Amino acid sequence: MRELKILVINNYGQFCHLIHRTVRDLDMDTKIVSNTTPVEEILEQEPDGIILSGGPSMERIGLCQEYVESIDRPILGICLGHQLIARTFGGQTGSGDLGGYAEIDVEILDEDDILKGLGPRTSVWASHADEVIALPEGFLHLARSDVCEIEAMRHPERPIYGVQWHPEVAHTAQGEELFMNFFEVCENY
């Protein structure tokens, strides 16, 4: 696979730098970008893909909704990024029952592009303080767990994906595979 340019949008999550390091260690050209960077400046960098990091709250997502609506590149939302994608397209988010970070057993419902080779079950590290509680209309439901019904989803037409869990942390099995699957989507877009 050729070296791709992947922008990591900083939503002030504690793992943003770990996402960046993981992407870099997988031999991609990557850069952390503030979530207040204008869309035009994002496009000037000619990214092959965009990763929306996790973060503490929906009030601190900057221009991320605008990025999702207007940037025609593959997008992967992680945790808060997953939730803001859902909200952008009319889904609902809410407080989860489990709360803080924990190991979760996830059932893969559809080994779509980014979950290829991860099923039928995988062990992940996730926070469920907030989560997607209703899919946006038309979105494909990719994964679930006993603590969260919508662990992963994708847009029906555009290459926009969301996962509740953190593929960048060592506790997540097959996290690198998920990133490589996303890079494959970016390479073929």
Side-chain angles (χ1 to χ4, degrees):
M1 177 179 296
R2 68 182 173 89
E3 182 182 70
L4 303 169
K5 184 166 197 173
I6 307 295
L7 298 183
V8 177
I9 306 299
N10 186 357
N11 286 314
Y12 311 103
Q14 60 184 323
F15 297 136
C16 182
H17 290 277
L18 189 53
I19 296 169
H20 175 259
R21 190 176 86 199
T22 302
V23 172
R24 184 195 66 211
D25 289 350
L26 292 170
D27 298 323
M28 297 299 149
D29 177 14
T30 184
K31 179 179 176 184
I32 295 176
V33 178
S34 166
N35 68 5
T36 57
T37 305
V39 168
E40 302 74 38
E41 287 182 34
I42 299 272
L43 293 174
E44 283 170 10
Q45 297 184 56
E46 299 182 353
D48 293 297
I50 293 171
I51 297 174
L52 305 172
S53 84
S57 72
M58 207 57 79
E59 288 71 42
R60 297 187 66 192
I61 61 168
L63 300 174
C64 284
Q65 187 167 334
E66 199 176 324
Y67 303 159
V68 171
E69 291 171 338
S70 63
I71 296 178
D72 186 23
R73 298 286 190 285
I75 296 174
L76 172 62
I78 295 173
C79 198
L80 180 72
H82 166 66
Q83 297 157 27
L84 77 86
I85 288 168
R87 279 180 123 182
T88 298
F89 292 101
Q92 293 178 4
T93 60
S95 296
D97 293 333
L98 189 64
Y101 288 98
E103 186 175 13
I104 305 293
D105 184 45
V106 170
E107 176 187 0
I108 307 297
L109 302 173
D110 184 348
E111 286 194 42
D112 195 281
D113 307 329
I114 60 163
L115 302 182
K116 186 172 55 186
L118 272 62
R121 302 188 85 76
T122 190
S123 178
V124 304
W125 193 252
S127 166
H128 289 86
D130 296 298
E131 60 191 29
V132 177
I133 58 173
L135 276 176
E137 188 174 335
F139 265 59
L140 304 173
H141 187 190
L142 303 180
R144 65 165 304 281
S145 73
D146 289 342
V147 298
C148 174
E149 190 55 34
I150 304 166
E151 291 280 1
M153 65 182 187
R154 78 157 288 179
H155 190 282
E157 292 144 14
R158 294 175 58 199
I160 299 175
Y161 309 86
V163 294
Q164 180 66 36
W165 69 86
H166 289 271
E168 71 276 14
V169 300
H171 296 78
T172 293
Q174 301 172 294
E176 288 186 358
E177 289 87 338
L178 188 149
F179 282 116
M180 292 303 292
N181 287 341
F182 177 65
F183 301 154
E184 189 176 322
V185 169
C186 295
E187 185 174 45
N188 294 323
Y189 189 66

